Amino acid sequence: MDHIQRFIFDNTDVRGEVVTLEDTFSNVIARHDYPAPIKRQLGELLGAVALLTSTIKLDGVVSLEVRGSGPATLLMAESNPGLEGNAQTLRAIARFDEQAELTETPSLAELVGEGHIVITLDPKEGQRYQGIVQLEHDTLAECLETYFAQSEQLPTRLWLEADQARAGGILLQKLPEDGRTDDPDAWNRTVKLAETVKRDELLTLEPKELLYRLYHEETTRIFDPFPVEFGCTCSRERFASALLNLGEDELRATIEAQHQIDTQCHFCNTHYHFSAADVEQLIDAPDAPPPTVH
C-alpha cells in the first residue's frame, strides 16, 4: 500500500514528509484516457494534496483545484480522511480540450494558462475554508509554497514529481521557534540537501531509503508510515440526494422524456441507474434509503 512517511530532525525546528503513490495513482489514471502531460500533472496534484492533508492535520476533506483558460480547464485532487479505518483516500479528475496539441512536458502554466489554485479545507466539524493562489509560477510546488507563505506564514518547500506510473513528493516545513533548537542553520541545510534529490529517486526509492540518501548525516527521527489509497466518496445515496435537489417537477419531466435517469461519477466512472419507479419512490419517500438497482 502507498503511504506517507513523516519525519523530524531532532533538536531543530524542521519537520517533513515524504509520499510515494503507485497503486493510488494507477487507480486514478486507469479510469480515464488522459494524455501523458495530464497524467503527470494529476500525479503531482495527488502527491501535493496528500502532503497538505498530513501537514494541516485536518479531520475532513482537503481539495486542490487548478482552474484556468488553457488546454486544461480543471485539474483537481481530493483527499478524504478515509472510508475504512485510518487510511487517507485520494481521488482526482481533469477536464481538458481533447483537440489541443500538448507539448511533451508542458509546465503547469502552459497546461492551464491564466488561472488560479483553490485550496479548500472542509472539516467534519467547524467552518469551511477556501484559499486562492494565482498561477504566477511554472510549477505546482512553487504555487503552493506561495500559499503557505501567505496563509500559513510558515516557510515551506515542496518537491513534486510524476511520470506515467508513479508520483512522489517531499515537503519540508520550518516550525515556529520555541527556544528549544540549538541548530539555527538547520532549515537552510536541510533544504539544500533536499534540492539534490533527483527525479528518479523521488519516484522509485522507498521513503526510508530516500531519507537516508538525503539525510544520513542528520539526526532524523522517522515515524510510523501512514497509509494512503485510492477511494471515491460517491454512492447511490449521494446521487439520489442530488436528484431530489432538482425538485419533483424537473424529475418527473426528465422521466417523461427519458423514461429513466442514468448518471456517472466523474471521478471513478461508476454508473448509477434510476428507473421511473426508482424516481417515484425517491419522490414519495425522500428520507428512505434509495431503491436498489433494477
Side-chain angles (χ1 to χ4, degrees):
M1 179 182 288
D2 299 333
H3 59 272
I4 294 173
Q5 184 70 68
R6 300 168 179 160
F7 61 94
I8 63 172
F9 300 103
D10 283 346
N11 302 315
T12 77
D13 52 9
V14 182
R15 61 173 295 278
E17 298 167 357
V18 177
V19 64
T20 54
L21 302 173
E22 185 168 355
D23 294 340
T24 305
F25 185 39
S26 296
N27 268 292
V28 168
I29 61 177
R31 287 165 165 76
H32 302 275
D33 186 19
Y34 292 136
I38 298 290
K39 289 179 184 178
R40 284 194 294 269
Q41 198 58 66
L42 279 182
E44 289 192 19
L45 250 74
L46 285 165
V49 80
L51 291 170
L52 261 64
T53 302
S54 183
T55 299
I56 298 169
K57 294 183 174 63
L58 179 78
D59 185 16
V61 177
V62 177
S63 67
L64 284 178
E65 296 179 57
V66 184
R67 296 183 176 273
S69 57
T73 56
L74 173 68
L75 300 167
M76 179 183 179
E78 182 181 273
S79 168
N80 193 280
L83 303 177
E84 297 180 5
N86 294 320
Q88 180 181 329
T89 60
L90 306 179
R91 61 180 188 171
I93 192 172
R95 292 176 185 161
F96 62 99
D97 181 359
E98 296 183 8
Q99 305 303 318
E101 294 185 7
L102 302 175
T103 61
E104 182 74 17
T105 56
S107 67
L108 178 64
E110 291 172 332
L111 197 60
V112 181
E114 293 186 6
H116 56 270
I117 300 176
V118 180
I119 299 101
T120 303
L121 312 179
D122 193 3
K124 290 181 179 178
E125 298 182 4
Q127 190 173 1
R128 190 168 182 260
Y129 165 83
Q130 278 195 332
I132 298 178
V133 181
Q134 295 302 313
L135 287 176
E136 297 176 343
H137 303 283
D138 286 338
T139 68
L140 177 64
E142 291 173 307
C143 292
L144 293 176
E145 288 170 0
T146 298
Y147 164 75
F148 273 101
Q150 294 175 349
S151 301
E152 302 293 323
Q153 297 182 339
L154 291 174
T156 304
R157 292 294 310 274
L158 282 152
W159 293 263
L160 302 169
E161 292 288 355
D163 58 16
Q164 301 301 298
R166 297 170 298 275
I170 301 175
L171 180 145
L172 289 182
Q173 191 168 70
K174 188 176 187 294
L175 301 174
E177 295 182 8
D178 59 8
R180 290 181 293 179
T181 177
D182 55 4
D183 190 351
D185 187 52
W187 174 249
N188 291 331
R189 188 175 67 253
T190 54
V191 166
K192 286 181 180 179
L193 289 170
E195 287 175 340
T196 69
V197 70
K198 296 179 175 61
R199 172 183 170 83
D200 289 347
E201 292 174 333
L202 197 53
L203 293 175
T204 61
L205 295 183
E206 287 296 314
K208 288 185 179 180
E209 186 179 356
L210 179 61
L211 289 175
Y212 180 79
R213 149 54 185 110
L214 294 174
Y215 298 119
H216 59 275
E217 294 185 355
E218 302 290 329
T219 307
T220 310
R221 189 187 312 176
I222 299 175
F223 299 94
D224 291 336
F226 191 78
V228 183
E229 62 189 13
F230 170 78
C232 191
T233 57
C234 75
S235 66
R236 188 168 176 81
E237 290 79 6
R238 290 196 173 197
F239 275 98
S241 178
L243 291 178
L244 286 171
N245 288 335
L246 296 176
E248 179 179 335
D249 292 342
E250 185 168 346
L251 279 177
R252 287 205 165 105
T254 302
I255 287 298
E256 184 176 352
Q258 302 178 4
H259 308 296
Q260 62 188 28
I261 296 177
D262 289 283
T263 187
Q264 185 169 302
C265 175
H266 294 303
F267 285 93
C268 67
N269 278 342
T270 299
H271 174 259
Y272 295 95
H273 172 80
F274 294 85
S275 67
D278 293 337
V279 173
E280 285 298 329
Q281 187 175 337
L282 284 176
I283 294 172
D284 293 339
D287 295 328
T292 55
V293 179
H294 291 268

